[in-house]
Amino acid sequence: MSELNNNINIQDIEDGNNQQDFYTNFKEKLIAVEQFPSLYKFKFIVKADLDKIEQVKQVFTHASTKYAEKESSGGKYKSITVETFVNNADEVIDYYKEVSKIESVIML
């Protein structure tokens, strides 16, 4: 995976006031800094709710997928890092779109 991946933060992508512009901008940035196919790291924050954590994990089905979890100091939240194989920028976006359907998940 490219070391530049850490420079893309999903919350920093301008959305142009609609979701289509957001994903178009995000895709352009991914293509500019990533090499595909590759392993890609996704990061999320969820309430420390086992159901929400499992919902996030169920989105990622590739055999290469690895998870790392870290609990917040107060125990209310967990960060989840998911590393999985992706073929292209569109797959990255598809994963983010699927996770965005899960209530109260913050995408980093």
Side-chain angles (χ1 to χ4, degrees):
M1 182 164 83
S2 168
E3 298 221 6
L4 296 173
N5 179 36
N6 294 331
N7 293 331
I8 299 177
N9 293 313
I10 198 163
Q11 67 270 21
D12 294 336
I13 306 293
E14 294 190 28
D15 66 6
N17 295 324
N18 72 51
Q19 204 170 30
Q20 185 63 35
D21 286 344
F22 168 81
Y23 285 114
T24 299
N25 291 338
F26 185 49
K27 181 178 178 178
E28 289 171 4
K29 291 189 185 307
L30 282 171
I31 291 169
V33 300
E34 293 292 333
Q35 293 180 342
F36 295 103
S38 68
L39 289 175
Y40 188 85
K41 281 188 183 180
F42 296 83
K43 295 188 180 205
F44 308 102
I45 296 176
V46 298
K47 289 187 178 179
D49 173 346
L50 289 177
D51 183 50
K52 298 288 183 202
I53 294 166
E54 286 306 310
Q55 286 180 42
V56 170
K57 287 181 176 182
Q58 288 175 4
V59 170
F60 300 89
T61 58
H62 193 274
S64 70
T65 304
K66 295 179 185 174
Y67 306 98
E69 297 177 24
K70 185 177 179 185
E71 193 168 294
S72 66
S73 59
K76 286 184 168 184
Y77 298 94
K78 276 197 173 184
S79 66
I80 302 171
T81 301
V82 180
E83 184 178 66
T84 195
F85 180 82
V86 293
N87 287 301
N88 52 47
D90 289 323
E91 277 189 35
V92 172
I93 291 168
D94 289 345
Y95 278 124
Y96 275 119
K97 284 180 177 180
E98 281 301 308
V99 171
S100 74
K101 295 175 185 176
I102 304 169
E103 188 177 327
S104 11
V105 174
I106 299 169
M107 299 182 286
L108 302 175

